[in-house]
Amino acid sequence: QVQLVESGGGLVQAGGSLRLSCAASGRTLNTYIMGWFRQAPGKEREFVAAIVWSGGLTIYADSVKGRFTISRDNAKNTVYLQMNSLKPEDTAVYYCAARNAPFIAAMITSRNAYDSWGQGTQVTVSS
């Protein structure tokens, strides 16, 4: 299994930006799909964005389209989530996840499709 470590969370005012990082170790990621999920207090963990490591195909939740950008750095084995125009409703613990399996569009937004998870990083957006 791949090990994932997130960083970059914090407190930001509405309209501000943050960049989350997820450093992966233990495996090369050529066959992986990397995802970001988030979980707000009292809510289910929800899909935010995903990227197919080989080829760079990206998928976003409707709630973050146009504001968030997922990307990866092959040399650093790291995936990023650039978050702009943040809103108070973006407040959550953000988790990085990895899937070592083929891309299946119907599955990629489901937390059950991923087999490795990071510990999470808190993002708080104040109004």
Side-chain angles (χ1 to χ4, degrees):
Q1 264 190 338
V2 64
Q3 289 78 48
L4 305 172
V5 178
E6 303 100 331
S7 60
L11 174 64
V12 64
Q13 287 188 331
S17 298
L18 281 175
R19 188 177 81 157
L20 306 183
S21 299
C22 173
S25 62
R27 294 283 182 94
T28 56
L29 300 179
N30 292 343
T31 59
Y32 275 74
I33 298 166
M34 303 297 293
W36 285 98
F37 287 73
R38 66 187 182 186
Q39 188 167 15
K43 294 189 176 181
E44 294 288 320
R45 192 170 298 188
E46 65 174 4
F47 172 78
V48 175
I51 185 167
V52 180
W53 196 270
S54 178
L57 175 68
T58 57
I59 307 99
Y60 296 94
D62 288 342
S63 58
V64 305
K65 277 181 184 175
R67 300 189 298 122
F68 291 11
T69 302
I70 188 171
S71 62
R72 84 262 194 245
D73 185 323
N74 289 332
K76 296 182 178 180
N77 237 31
T78 298
V79 63
Y80 302 99
L81 185 68
Q82 177 66 44
M83 305 186 295
N84 298 328
S85 302
L86 282 161
K87 305 174 182 180
E89 51 263 44
D90 294 318
T91 294
V93 177
Y94 283 70
Y95 296 90
C96 179
R99 166 182 167 85
N100 187 18
F103 175 81
I104 301 175
M107 291 184 62
I108 215 62
T109 59
S110 170
R111 58 179 296 185
N112 295 324
Y114 296 81
D115 40 46
S116 298
W117 292 84
Q119 82 288 351
T121 185
Q122 176 71 47
V123 172
T124 303
V125 184
S126 63
S127 56

